[in-house]
Amino acid sequence: MKKLYIYLLAGALISIFALGWVIDTYNQQTAPLEDSFEWQSKLITGLAKQVANIEQEERENATALIAQQFDINIRYKDGDTLAMPPELKQQMLLPDGLVIENENVYLLKTTPEMAPDYVELEWEPQVEQADYDVLLTLFFYGGICAILWFILSPLVKRLIVLNTAAKHFASGNLSARIAPNHFTYIRDLENTFNRMASQIEKLMAENKLMASSLSHDIRTPVACLRFGLDAALDESDIDAIHDYLARMEKDLDQMEDMLSSYLSFATLEQKSHLLKHEVTTLSRYGQDLMQQMQPKLQKNQLSGRVEIPEHLMIHGDLHWLARAVSNLISNACDFATACVLLSAHRTEHWLIITVEDDGPGIARQNWDKVFSPFFQEQTHRNRAGKSYGLGLAIVAKVMDWHHGTATVSQSERLGGAKFVLSLPCKEK
């Protein structure tokens, strides 16, 4: 939006100054080159000299006769009756005389022989450029409107594009996006709309997937509960009834764990605005995470190694990043046979964290699917016990919050799965 403000301000200033300069230039070119009082000054100067050569008693009559013959409004006046400061009276001796402007223009002229008396020429000024002034005013405001229209027309077009995309999105087309354009003032707004639309589309897809997965996965424990309840009602042996009740309790525990996991994932997006970014040493951070996983490593008779340079730093929400890395280590513990490796390095713009194991790995055709909620490889189902396919989905979501990526491939060093977390980092 800053670009829009700059263009609007620059357009207004340029249009005002440019059009003002054009109008001033036009006025200077069309203005008369000579003084508008030049011929009157010459006329009254000559008349004053002529009148000064006449006897004082005849001067008034001679002036009236000249006014009648030449049809001009000129009079001979007594200087003693003129209520004017002496300084202004002295100006009547100047070559151009004294000009007084009121409703009409008065040109007063005298000579040393005539003073203090003077000759007065009166005429009504003609406003010749009145029509031009109106036209120039219309041109000025019309020019401003034209320049602003030229500047704002791309904005209007992009707003129409934004409005159209919003209407399509509101009508149910969740794939509606705004195509990028270099000539736009509202790129930030367009990018924000695209990010919002992508997030909403992703949330809608996750909600649909969660609803279908929950309805599918909950059928098994419900069916077991129904079977156990029917069998318990038909059974007369107390020990057998206790057996059925114990199985039903396990089924209820499974349902409780399942619902808790699903609800926890459903509310995960609400926590994205609560991120608290901090900086710490990645080597120490990774050692602590691997130490927390020691009980599971020891239970599965695995060794956990950390290979992170001492100088590397990690910046982000340390709680959620720890959960993402822990999920990857825990997932590796479920499938590794002997070793789990946590390592990291830095490129020019990215901090790369990898978790590798020596297990069977993940089929190549599932590399793009493992981060989807509720996805589980059929060959690995139930291997980890209470697993609902949400661990890697949480990893992907945490990386989205940090504007990073999560990918999976095959480990060159250990042969199993290799998970890579890429976090953007500041320049060195």
Side-chain angles (χ1 to χ4, degrees):
M1 298 301 290
K2 185 184 296 184
K3 186 177 180 181
L4 173 61
Y5 300 147
I6 294 175
Y7 271 93
L8 288 178
L9 181 59
L13 292 177
I14 291 174
S15 60
I16 291 173
F17 285 108
L19 292 174
W21 176 80
V22 171
I23 292 174
D24 287 342
T25 303
Y26 176 78
N27 277 336
Q28 291 176 2
Q29 293 176 349
T30 57
L33 298 177
E34 299 180 347
D35 187 353
S36 59
F37 299 150
E38 183 179 2
W39 71 267
Q40 291 92 339
S41 297
K42 292 180 178 180
L43 174 63
I44 199 169
T45 298
L47 289 174
K49 290 179 179 179
Q50 292 295 325
V51 172
N53 294 326
I54 303 174
E55 294 294 333
Q56 185 174 1
E57 295 79 7
E58 299 296 328
R59 289 174 181 173
E60 185 174 355
N61 293 332
T63 303
L65 180 60
I66 293 173
Q68 181 180 2
Q69 290 176 344
F70 289 93
D71 193 21
I72 55 176
N73 194 1
I74 188 170
R75 293 178 294 275
Y76 181 86
K77 288 196 172 184
D78 185 357
D80 294 331
T81 63
L82 181 62
M84 185 179 293
E87 294 81 4
L88 289 179
K89 289 183 178 181
Q90 289 296 322
Q91 293 186 19
M92 291 189 295
L93 293 170
L94 298 175
D96 294 333
L98 174 64
V99 179
I100 300 176
E101 294 187 49
N102 196 356
E103 294 180 357
N104 292 338
V105 179
Y106 300 87
L107 184 56
L108 283 60
K109 177 65 178 175
T110 188
T111 64
E113 297 81 10
M114 191 190 303
D117 296 343
Y118 63 94
V119 179
E120 178 188 86
L121 174 64
E122 177 186 359
W123 77 94
E124 182 179 354
Q126 299 295 323
V127 182
E128 299 179 355
Q129 292 188 346
D131 295 337
Y132 289 106
D133 291 342
V134 174
L135 292 176
L136 290 175
T137 301
L138 294 176
F139 171 76
F140 178 76
Y141 289 109
I144 291 178
C145 293
I147 292 175
L148 291 180
W149 175 85
F150 178 77
I151 294 175
L152 293 177
S153 58
L155 172 64
V156 175
K157 292 179 181 178
R158 298 308 295 176
L159 288 176
I160 293 174
V161 172
L162 175 61
N163 183 58
T164 302
K167 286 182 177 179
H168 289 168
F169 192 85
S171 64
N173 182 14
L174 299 183
S175 62
R177 299 292 186 273
I178 300 176
N181 190 301
H182 295 292
F183 302 100
T184 178
Y185 305 142
I186 53 172
R187 181 174 289 107
D188 291 341
L189 180 60
E190 295 173 359
N191 292 337
T192 300
F193 174 84
N194 287 340
R195 286 195 297 269
M196 178 200 70
S198 298
Q199 189 175 12
I200 292 176
E201 182 181 23
K202 188 175 181 179
L203 288 174
M204 293 292 291
E206 287 179 355
N207 287 340
K208 290 180 181 178
L209 183 59
M210 184 174 67
S212 61
S213 298
L214 182 61
S215 61
H216 176 270
D217 292 345
I218 205 171
R219 289 177 183 173
T220 299
V222 169
C224 291
L225 281 173
R226 171 61 64 185
F227 174 79
L229 181 61
D230 291 341
L233 291 175
D234 295 337
E235 184 61 58
S236 57
D237 186 1
I238 296 298
D239 292 335
I241 293 175
H242 286 170
D243 243 1
Y244 288 127
L245 292 177
R247 294 179 186 175
M248 292 170 63
E249 183 179 15
K250 291 181 180 179
D251 292 333
L252 285 173
D253 289 340
Q254 183 183 0
M255 289 180 62
E256 185 179 13
D257 290 337
M258 183 187 302
L259 292 174
S260 177
S261 298
Y262 277 44
L263 292 176
S264 176
F265 182 80
T267 59
L268 196 59
E269 194 63 37
Q270 301 175 5
K271 304 173 184 178
S272 61
H273 67 283
L274 301 176
L275 297 182
K276 182 180 179 182
H277 288 264
E278 299 174 279
V279 180
T280 189
T281 304
L282 182 56
S283 176
R284 175 78 174 273
Y285 187 68
Q287 292 285 357
D288 292 341
L289 294 178
M290 190 63 74
Q291 187 63 34
Q292 293 173 11
M293 299 302 300
Q294 280 302 314
K296 189 168 186 177
L297 289 167
Q298 293 174 0
K299 179 181 178 181
N300 295 343
Q301 298 180 349
L302 302 173
S303 65
R305 300 192 344 244
V306 178
E307 297 180 0
I308 301 176
E310 294 289 339
H311 66 277
L312 288 185
M313 307 294 291
I314 184 170
H315 180 273
D317 188 297
L318 301 183
H319 167 74
W320 285 107
L321 288 175
R323 180 163 182 184
V325 177
S326 297
N327 282 359
L328 294 180
I329 297 176
S330 177
N331 190 68
C333 291
D334 291 332
F335 302 106
T337 58
C339 179
V340 175
L341 173 62
L342 172 63
S343 61
H345 67 279
R346 174 172 172 162
T347 63
E348 184 177 0
H349 302 291
W350 297 92
L351 177 65
I352 310 297
I353 302 174
T354 60
V355 177
E356 305 172 65
D357 63 69
D358 58 353
I362 298 175
R364 182 180 294 271
Q365 64 269 22
N366 293 328
W367 284 0
D368 294 331
K369 303 176 184 178
V370 292
F371 294 103
S372 301
F374 317 110
F375 176 81
Q376 291 176 312
E377 281 196 306
Q378 294 299 321
T379 55
H380 295 169
R381 280 185 84 84
N382 303 324
R383 168 84 182 269
K386 298 177 181 179
S387 174
Y388 306 105
L390 297 176
L392 296 181
I394 293 175
V395 172
K397 192 170 288 292
V398 171
M399 297 309 297
D400 283 341
W401 293 347
H402 289 79
H403 308 290
T405 59
T407 58
V408 63
S409 60
Q410 184 175 2
S411 173
E412 299 86 356
R413 299 176 61 180
L414 303 181
K418 177 182 178 181
F419 289 89
V420 178
L421 305 182
S422 301
L423 286 168
C425 55
K426 298 179 180 180
E427 297 293 333
K428 295 182 179 179

